């Protein structure tokens, strides 16, 4: 009986295409058909990207990371066949990274990941958004100075006239 119930839920999960909204039930996108992952506006929170101390040589295209190979010159980067800097300026994350482990505390099982938007993915990542027609909407803030405890690797969309995005 348990196998039948598990198979039923697995079948529904495979056939469904859902949007995930984190933080409230509304999110920011007015039209939800093109959104896989959404966040509520003006919550003064962001997404913390994984930091790396060595850049991966062949990541999946679309990978976002905090490049902390030099903790005094950390930058948010995007992989599109080559690493592209999204920061535009260096950040010193030495203090923030001093509290982070230098080796994995718990070994990940091969292929262990969470996938949103598809039943499977060949992408190598912990959280994979897999879609050819939908995207992620970043958390929206009015001013980064309102974020109470920003963390190294945090990413938000600043919705303010004259702001650098």
């Amino acid at each position: 009986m348990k196998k039948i119930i598990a198979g039923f839920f697995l079948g529904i999960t495979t056939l469904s295409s859902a949007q995930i909204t984190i933080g409230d039930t509304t999110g920011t996108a007015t039209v939800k058909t093109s959104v896989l992952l959404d966040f509520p506006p003006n919550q003064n929170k962001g997404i913390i990207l994984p930091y790396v101390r060595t850049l991966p040589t062949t990541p999946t295209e679309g990978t976002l990371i905090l490049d902390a190979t030099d903790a005094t010159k950390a930058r948010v980067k995007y992989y599109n066949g080559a690493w592209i800097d999204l920061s535009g300026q260096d950040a010193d994350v030495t203090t923030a990274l001093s509290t982070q482990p230098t080796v994995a505390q718990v070994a990940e099982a091969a292929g262990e990941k969470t996938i949103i938007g598809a039943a499977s993915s060949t992408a190598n990542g912990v959280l994979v958004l897999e879609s050819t027609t939908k995207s992620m909407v970043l958390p929206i803030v009015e001013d980064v100075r309102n974020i109470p405890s920003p963390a190294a690797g945090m990413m938000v969309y600043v919705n303010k006239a004259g702001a650098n995005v």
Side-chain angles (χ1 to χ4, degrees):
M1 183 66 170
K2 288 182 184 178
K3 288 182 181 181
I4 294 171
I5 292 172
F8 174 74
F9 283 113
L10 182 60
I12 287 181
T13 303
T14 302
L15 296 174
S16 66
S17 177
Q19 172 204 1
I20 308 285
T21 301
I22 296 175
D24 72 1
T25 58
T26 308
T28 57
T30 53
V31 178
K32 307 291 188 193
T33 57
S34 63
V35 179
L36 281 175
L37 187 59
D38 197 2
F39 299 86
N42 304 317
Q43 296 292 311
N44 297 323
K45 298 177 181 176
I47 297 171
I48 299 174
L49 297 174
Y51 71 88
V52 296
R53 295 177 191 223
T54 304
L55 279 176
T57 53
T58 56
T60 304
E61 288 195 21
T63 297
L64 290 166
I65 53 103
L66 174 65
D67 177 4
T69 53
D70 180 343
T72 63
K73 298 177 184 173
R75 295 205 171 202
V76 173
K77 293 188 176 178
Y78 161 78
Y79 189 78
N80 188 19
W83 286 107
I84 299 168
D85 175 31
L86 297 178
S87 300
Q89 63 185 20
D90 293 336
D92 186 348
V93 296
T94 307
T95 303
L97 295 182
S98 68
T99 61
Q100 301 297 314
T102 56
V103 295
Q105 297 293 321
V106 178
E108 286 182 27
E112 187 175 282
K113 58 188 156 191
T114 299
I115 303 167
I116 298 175
S120 64
S121 175
T122 58
N124 184 15
V126 176
L127 174 63
V128 177
L129 304 180
E130 185 74 40
S131 178
T132 58
T133 60
K134 296 181 180 186
S135 67
M136 172 181 69
V137 177
L138 291 173
I140 298 172
V141 300
E142 292 297 320
D143 192 324
V144 295
R145 292 175 292 198
N146 295 338
I147 298 172
S149 299
M154 185 175 279
M155 191 161 77
V156 297
Y157 176 82
V158 179
N159 188 18
K160 178 174 147 183
N164 293 328
V165 255

